[in-house]
Amino acid sequence: MSPAPCPTPPVAADQVAAHPSALAPGLAVTVWDSGGIRHALDECLDELALIQPDVVQLHTVPGDGAQVHRLREALPGVRVWVGIPADHLARRPAQAPAKAATYARAAQVQGVELLVLNGEAAWVGASPGLARDVLAACREAAPGLLLGWTTYDHPHYADHRGPWEVILGHGGVDYSLPQHYPARPGLQAGPAQIRGRILASQRSHARLRGLDPELVPQGPRWIPYGQAHGHTPAGICALSDAAPLACWWALPSRMDPLGLLGLLAASKIRREAGHAPGHVARWQAAHGLLADGVAGRRTLAALGLGP
């Protein structure tokens, strides 16, 4: 039996959340490749131009800003996030606050909208004090810069336990991007798997004490983070449909053809039906289709993306 659809957060169409540092809604894609961020952009600028995301997240340590400038020239008006691979901060705790401050200053100078710390395995078992020091250093170095954190979406698991009560608690980050990654070898995850994953993640977060309810799944400062591979187009659109902001990992190295098709569909639906949850069904209804919220073959065909 398929999981019930996730409840949607109480956000009106195309309105930002009632947080003083609210981000505008939109579709975000991450750019990353093991050959470096310059090479990654070389490989995916054409796909980005097709998708027309509202936000591009560069998964890299902030440098001289050349790639941020290049991205803005290629996609005028695009909003830019930077996602730091932050496990190295936990591996060198003595240097972590100073390093984090350097990254935050660089991101602010470059006009980055959101600085996302990607802290995973090395943060399992890390001290709450380290988390406080890193976040405090970022805020002191770059006042007003919005901070996000991405990590496992089942934080109560014993092998995933980190200082999440600090990072995702009151006074922690501004946005949480839990990684809703149900992809398995040979599996193309669809809407049922995506919705089930989000519900399971919501239950996992509920088992931890002290988390800010605005940062847990279905909260107004939750940004679902999905994979641009191992999903059907309907699965990609289901994750997009869950929140006003949604993000995907990663172009060009972690995107397959079905992922590209799903991102093209999700972006077009959002542009035409708005960003608030329920946009798939709204788009279907406006085009005379069964408004079931599932972007299947008929919806893709109506979008001009099917055979």
Side-chain angles (χ1 to χ4, degrees):
M1 186 164 114
S2 297
C6 298
T8 56
V11 180
D14 297 327
Q15 289 184 349
V16 296
H19 187 257
S21 56
L23 292 171
L27 180 146
V29 296
T30 298
V31 170
W32 175 81
D33 183 82
S34 60
I37 200 64
R38 179 177 179 177
H39 174 71
L41 283 174
D42 288 343
E43 295 295 314
C44 73
L45 279 178
D46 289 344
E47 284 81 4
L48 288 173
L50 287 173
I51 296 166
Q52 298 181 50
D54 303 282
V55 180
V56 172
Q57 177 178 202
L58 301 178
H59 186 74
T60 185
V61 171
D64 60 6
Q67 301 313 312
V68 172
H69 178 71
R70 179 184 175 202
L71 177 61
R72 288 185 172 129
E73 282 195 328
L75 300 174
V78 74
R79 294 148 54 194
V80 180
W81 300 350
V82 168
I84 299 171
D87 272 7
H88 72 284
L89 298 176
R91 295 190 185 104
R92 295 176 175 81
Q95 292 81 37
K99 283 279 188 185
T102 299
Y103 301 150
R105 277 192 293 269
Q108 188 171 60
V109 167
Q110 294 163 22
V112 168
E113 181 179 73
L114 179 70
L115 182 67
V116 180
L117 286 81
N118 188 328
E120 300 177 42
W123 284 88
V124 172
S127 72
L130 175 61
R132 289 191 192 94
D133 290 347
V134 165
L135 295 181
C138 289
R139 297 201 187 282
E140 183 177 354
L145 176 67
L146 297 178
L147 300 179
W149 197 287
T150 183
T151 191
Y152 311 110
D153 68 343
H154 285 64
H156 86 279
Y157 286 177
D159 57 348
H160 290 175
R161 288 290 287 120
W164 314 133
E165 293 86 347
V166 172
I167 294 166
L168 303 180
H170 295 280
V173 295
D174 300 294
Y175 286 87
S176 174
L177 296 82
Q179 297 161 9
H180 302 305
Y181 293 176
R184 297 288 185 273
L187 170 70
Q188 295 292 334
Q193 287 80 21
I194 293 296
R195 290 167 180 155
R197 183 82 184 200
I198 293 172
L199 286 170
S201 177
Q202 192 175 27
R203 289 192 291 267
S204 179
H205 282 76
R207 296 182 66 168
L208 300 183
R209 295 180 178 272
L211 300 190
D212 185 334
E214 292 199 354
L215 292 170
V216 305
Q218 303 299 340
R221 292 189 283 131
W222 161 66
I223 302 173
Y225 204 165
Q227 290 175 315
H229 67 278
H231 290 62
T232 66
I236 295 282
C237 289
L239 186 78
S240 171
D241 209 17
L245 265 167
C247 187
W248 277 268
W249 172 269
L251 279 67
S253 55
R254 296 294 185 269
M255 182 178 69
D256 61 22
L258 289 180
L260 175 59
L261 185 59
L263 289 176
L264 290 170
S267 179
K268 186 170 183 179
I269 289 171
R270 278 176 173 260
R271 289 196 303 273
E272 296 182 7
H275 296 285
H279 49 253
V280 174
R282 290 197 302 276
W283 193 94
Q284 291 170 323
H287 290 79
L289 301 172
L290 175 65
D292 61 0
V294 177
R297 290 183 180 178
R298 291 185 178 179
T299 298
L300 293 177
L303 286 161
L305 298 172

